[in-house]
């Protein structure tokens, strides 16, 4: 019996407490619905510093973490820094992550289809 247990462990079995790998979503995920699991980290990676902070429609289901940014070399006023907004799935349910912006560069207004970011996350337990 112990041999079978060693065999299972050797096959890379996971325990119920291990979280799935982070789900990384970029600007191109706008308007989509994605699936996540309780305990999984969901990271929204937006490629402009002009976006408002990403917010969760239900912070009890998807709680925010510490925001981080990575400056990118570009001309001043372009807003090229990429920003990561991490969240952790806490409970099963459906939640929306949203952000908005009004400018897409210095004195450059955004086109109407570039002003809002929305992703629906369906969390399973």
């Amino acid at each position: 019996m112990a041999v079978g247990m060693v065999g299972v462990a050797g096959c890379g079995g996971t325990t119920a407490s291990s979280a799935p790998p982070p789900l990384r979503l970029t600007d191109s995920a706008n308007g989509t619905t994605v699936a996540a699991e309780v305990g999984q980290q969901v990271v929204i990676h937006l490629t402009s510093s002009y976006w408002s902070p990403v917010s969760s429609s239900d912070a009890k289901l998807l709680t925010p973490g510490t925001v981080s940014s990575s400056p990118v070399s570009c001309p001043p006023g372009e807003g090229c820094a990429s920003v990561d907004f991490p969240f952790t799935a806490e409970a099963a349910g459906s939640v929306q992550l949203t952000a908005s912006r009004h400018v897409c560069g210095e004195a450059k207004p955004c086109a109407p289809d570039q002003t809002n970011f929305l992703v629906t996350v369906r969390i399973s337990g």
Side-chain angles (χ1 to χ4, degrees):
M1 205 155 146
V3 173
M5 291 161 108
V6 172
V8 170
C11 291
T14 58
T15 63
S17 64
S18 65
L23 176 61
R24 290 187 55 82
L25 304 171
T26 64
D27 303 66
S28 64
N30 188 19
T32 64
T33 297
V34 299
E37 297 176 32
V38 171
Q40 187 170 21
Q41 187 177 46
V42 177
V43 180
I44 305 297
H45 176 83
L46 299 178
T47 56
S48 170
S49 59
Y50 290 121
W51 286 105
S52 67
V54 176
S55 63
S56 170
S57 62
D58 189 337
K60 291 179 183 175
L61 296 181
L62 207 53
T63 59
T66 304
V67 176
S68 63
S69 65
S70 303
V72 176
S73 179
C74 70
E78 293 293 317
C80 299
S82 56
V83 184
D84 286 342
F85 299 91
F87 294 85
T88 301
E90 301 292 347
S94 184
V95 61
Q96 292 184 329
L97 296 174
T98 58
S100 63
R101 65 181 176 177
H102 299 287
V103 294
C104 288
E106 187 174 322
K108 179 182 172 190
C110 294
D113 65 340
Q114 298 175 325
T115 59
N116 294 303
F117 178 85
L118 168 72
V119 170
T120 301
V121 181
R122 292 205 174 121
I123 306 165
S124 61

